[in-house]
Amino acid sequence: RLEQDLDVIKERLDLALKGSRDGIFDWDMITGNFYWSPEYKEMLGYGVDDVESSLENFNRLLHPEDHDAMWEKFKQYI
């Protein structure tokens, strides 16, 4: 039953994100896994398979002038 409920919730979230055209990313800091939605990649000017969702690519795509300030704010937040 829980598995079915999770499937329904996931489907609703997927539909809401596709309908809103919002780009999202998620970082599981424990596992190191990154997720970038197809819309997020599109907002960055990439196709779904053009760039891997990773911390390395996130850092590479940050504007150099924003890099240190962004990570400082992130550390403050955490």
Side-chain angles (χ1 to χ4, degrees):
R1 173 93 174 114
L2 286 175
E3 196 69 35
Q4 288 174 332
D5 289 347
L6 286 175
D7 287 343
V8 169
I9 291 168
K10 182 183 180 311
E11 183 179 1
R12 285 181 182 155
L13 176 60
D14 288 343
L15 289 170
L17 290 172
K18 285 178 185 173
S20 69
R21 303 277 306 142
D22 285 339
I24 64 164
F25 73 91
D26 183 50
W27 177 21
D28 184 329
M29 291 183 285
I30 295 170
T31 66
N33 291 330
F34 253 77
Y35 168 77
W36 295 359
S37 70
E39 293 78 13
Y40 182 74
K41 290 180 180 184
E42 185 179 317
M43 288 175 173
L44 296 174
Y46 295 99
V48 174
D49 298 322
D50 291 344
V51 65
E52 179 186 357
S53 303
S54 68
L55 179 58
E56 292 77 21
N57 281 333
F58 180 82
N59 274 318
R60 184 178 60 78
L61 294 171
L62 281 173
H63 191 283
E65 292 178 12
D66 296 333
H67 185 273
D68 291 344
M70 193 288 305
W71 281 110
E72 185 57 38
K73 289 290 184 188
F74 176 78
K75 289 177 190 174
Q76 291 173 6
Y77 176 77
I78 295 300

